[in-house]
Amino acid sequence: MIRPAERRPSPVDSPNLLALVGLLRGQSIKVHADDMKALMQLAADEGVEAMAAERLTAHQPGSDLESLTRKAALQSMLLEQITREVLAHTQRIGIPALLLKGNAMAHWAYPQPHWRACSDVDILVPSREAAEQLAQALSRAGFERATTSGALVAFELMCTRQLTPDWKVEIDVHWRLSNSALFADRFSFDELMAQAIPIPALGAEARGLGTVHALLHAAIHRASNLMTGMGDRLKWLYDFVALSQHLDPETWLGVASEASQRQLAGLTLSALQAADRRLGLVVPTAVMDSLERSAATEAIDHARLDDWQYMEALTWHSLPGWGIRLRWAWQRLFPSRDYMAYLYGVDRSYPSLLLERLRRASQKLGR
Amino acid sequence: MTLPERALPLADVVTRRLGDEMVLLNLSSGTYFALNEVGARIWELIKEGVPPPQMIQPLLDEFETDALVLEADLGRLLADLQAHGLIGTT
């Protein structure tokens, strides 16, 4: 699930960031022992700790980072088992399902699943009713139901389970591809399922988004993250690099065509440019040219994806009619107590949580 | 040390290759184990259903070691894996 977050401090290219990016680009980087802790902390913050640890170990034997890799592998193995359990429930109740985001991509787009840090299972089902059925099945199997924000703000239900003392895994059951009303209806479930790919590592019946849809979804996810102030974490940008390894020239053209058809060219272009700037992603020129041409005709200015007021205004205008707009605004402004308690990680009274929300909103407005 | 005749991975044990290493996790107990290159190869042989006494020769072919040392190490590893609930032996 996407949580509106405090804006992450911009990691202006510090030496550690440059070293980290170099590692992800496959460069041979030597890190002084005194800098190792800070570098690995940055890698953890950016969600690329395991990848950085393995590459450092390869370039710099004796850097003693094996324990980080093992920890990441164990977390990935636990998440794999939970994913299998969730998928078994979808089969038992007869609901078609698609795995989304990092947990799915980890098992087919990355050389090693634990290279893609992820702590949640995101699963897409065809409807709100199917999501409710699955959430009920998970509840019966011992998962806890968690509160989400209003149905116009988040198209998902959430269940959790305490897996380890410090890890409560979330199962986000989505019935739209994005929680942002602006992008939620760009694809139907059936369209996505028609292009889905098997993920045998997660079971014979496991399916994930097809390569083109996975890339476009990663771009939508990035736009949502920029909108909520979460910035460009390296693990999200690296998804484009990992996906690009599975794209031949023809499929790249499919990305451009689908992005243009779905009015997603601008945000796809922006994501690919960011991944190029940071990680040296190589995209065929014809694809970038095509995205650029299509982006120029779209309603969303992709240069303003991180301007939350602009994006909220676009969302408002995208909603059909005043009734829905007012309900959406109400749900945005006054979420339930349980949801705010979860979001802010504090258990307080409703007025106190609303004050906290107001404080955060003022900070956001001040930026 | 006498080797068990058979060794089988338990059902709720999952594994992951990490370069030369292998990480084993027992999902019921939360116990995990990291095996080095030789241990990882032994695990593969266990998964293939090779009886422990018949593991000696392929391991001698692949790793430079003495047969007696290898047999003793294999016996210790199998006992450790069993003690940690990762395999069953007969």
Side-chain angles (χ1 to χ4, degrees):
Chain A
M1 100 168 257
I2 298 168
R3 297 177 195 81
E6 299 287 339
R7 183 172 289 268
R8 301 169 66 243
S10 168
V12 180
D13 296 357
S14 64
N16 275 339
L17 181 67
L18 290 174
L20 183 57
V21 163
L23 280 171
L24 298 185
R25 283 172 171 244
Q27 294 162 6
S28 178
I29 302 285
K30 295 276 180 209
V31 179
H32 193 274
D34 295 346
D35 298 326
M36 193 63 87
K37 196 175 168 191
L39 176 72
M40 292 316 295
Q41 183 56 54
L42 177 63
D45 293 345
E46 294 288 340
V48 292
E49 194 179 20
M51 205 172 354
E54 282 203 34
R55 293 197 170 172
L56 264 176
T57 305
H59 298 148
Q60 201 168 329
S63 42
D64 206 19
L65 298 170
E66 289 86 354
S67 62
L68 292 177
T69 311
R70 279 186 212 122
K71 189 179 160 202
L74 287 167
Q75 177 155 337
S76 160
M77 289 155 81
L78 284 171
L79 198 62
E80 181 182 324
Q81 291 309 306
I82 289 288
T83 308
R84 286 171 178 272
E85 187 179 336
V86 172
L87 288 173
H89 284 293
T90 64
Q91 283 157 35
R92 210 164 294 140
I93 58 179
I95 291 175
L98 283 168
L99 292 166
L100 303 175
K101 301 189 192 175
N103 183 38
M105 283 188 282
H107 289 275
W108 68 268
Y110 280 76
Q112 293 265 34
H114 61 274
W115 277 21
R116 176 55 162 88
C118 43
S119 52
D120 305 340
V121 175
D122 287 277
I123 189 161
L124 180 70
V125 295
S127 64
R128 171 78 171 77
E129 293 69 34
E132 183 57 46
Q133 265 183 283
L134 178 55
Q136 282 178 12
L138 293 173
S139 275
R140 286 194 296 273
F143 286 85
E144 279 177 51
R145 284 288 289 266
T147 309
T148 50
S149 50
L152 287 171
V153 177
F155 302 97
E156 67 177 342
L157 297 175
M158 191 167 58
C159 295
T160 64
R161 180 186 279 173
Q162 196 76 45
L163 266 193
T164 65
D166 57 356
W167 181 21
K168 195 179 229 185
V169 68
E170 274 180 27
I171 315 298
D172 296 332
V173 185
H174 304 261
W175 64 92
R176 292 281 187 279
L177 191 57
S178 169
N179 272 342
S180 164
L182 199 50
F183 307 118
D185 293 319
R186 302 293 169 110
F187 296 93
S188 72
F189 181 85
D190 290 342
E191 286 169 333
L192 297 169
M193 187 52 112
Q195 302 294 321
I197 57 168
I199 310 179
L202 293 172
E205 303 299 323
R207 297 278 179 281
L209 296 180
T211 317
V212 171
H213 288 154
L215 190 141
L216 296 180
H217 187 220
I220 291 173
H221 188 225
R222 172 180 180 265
S224 303
N225 289 337
L226 291 178
M227 183 177 167
T228 52
M230 293 170 85
D232 264 331
R233 282 180 87 188
L234 287 176
K235 77 166 178 177
W236 292 322
L237 288 182
Y238 200 88
D239 283 341
F240 296 101
V241 177
L243 288 167
S244 74
Q245 308 299 312
H246 301 265
L247 289 162
D248 57 26
E250 195 182 329
T251 321
W252 266 120
L253 290 173
V255 169
S257 153
E258 190 84 353
S260 166
Q261 197 184 330
R262 309 287 172 166
Q263 301 278 296
L264 296 169
L267 61 85
T268 305
L269 176 69
S270 168
L272 297 179
Q273 285 171 335
D276 173 26
R277 274 195 305 274
R278 196 46 105 194
L279 298 168
L281 172 71
V282 179
V283 182
T285 311
V287 172
M288 294 304 267
D289 290 347
S290 167
L291 288 171
E292 221 158 297
R293 280 194 302 277
S294 301
T297 66
E298 289 180 353
I300 301 175
D301 176 357
H302 63 271
R304 297 180 70 185
L305 295 175
D306 60 353
D307 178 345
W308 70 272
Q309 287 164 301
Y310 167 73
M311 295 297 282
E312 294 281 29
L314 281 180
T315 307
W316 168 270
H317 288 295
S318 74
L319 294 168
W322 280 94
I324 289 184
R325 286 177 186 171
L326 290 173
R327 274 173 53 214
W328 173 81
W330 181 264
Q331 289 176 6
R332 289 287 287 156
L333 292 168
F334 305 108
S336 70
R337 193 207 77 90
D338 288 350
Y339 177 68
M340 286 192 288
Y342 171 78
L343 197 61
Y344 305 139
V346 286
D347 193 10
R348 293 191 208 146
S349 66
Y350 190 67
S352 166
L353 285 164
L354 273 181
L355 279 174
E356 175 65 21
R357 190 164 182 79
L358 190 62
R359 183 187 71 76
R360 289 175 185 238
S362 322
Q363 280 181 347
K364 215 170 170 184
L365 278 166
R367 289 202 290 261
Chain B
M1 183 178 280
T2 312
L3 292 175
E5 283 178 23
R6 294 187 65 200
L8 286 172
L10 295 187
D12 30 1
V13 175
V14 290
T15 61
R16 179 74 53 83
R17 257 272 180 204
L18 296 177
D20 290 339
E21 271 192 13
M22 185 168 290
V23 178
L24 280 61
L25 170 68
N26 181 322
L27 294 166
S28 306
S29 64
T31 313
Y32 74 93
F33 222 73
L35 298 175
N36 64 14
E37 190 181 0
V38 183
R41 181 69 187 116
I42 291 171
W43 182 263
E44 283 172 353
L45 293 170
I46 293 173
K47 279 197 81 178
E48 289 166 19
V50 178
Q54 291 176 31
M55 291 179 185
I56 303 289
Q57 194 52 54
L59 291 169
L60 283 173
D61 292 344
E62 290 176 48
F63 301 99
E64 278 184 31
T65 181
D66 176 81
L68 285 176
V69 172
L70 177 65
E71 189 171 340
D73 285 350
L74 176 60
R76 265 194 297 273
L77 177 65
L78 294 173
D80 259 0
L81 292 173
Q82 187 178 23
H84 285 85
L86 299 163
I87 60 167
T89 60
T90 54

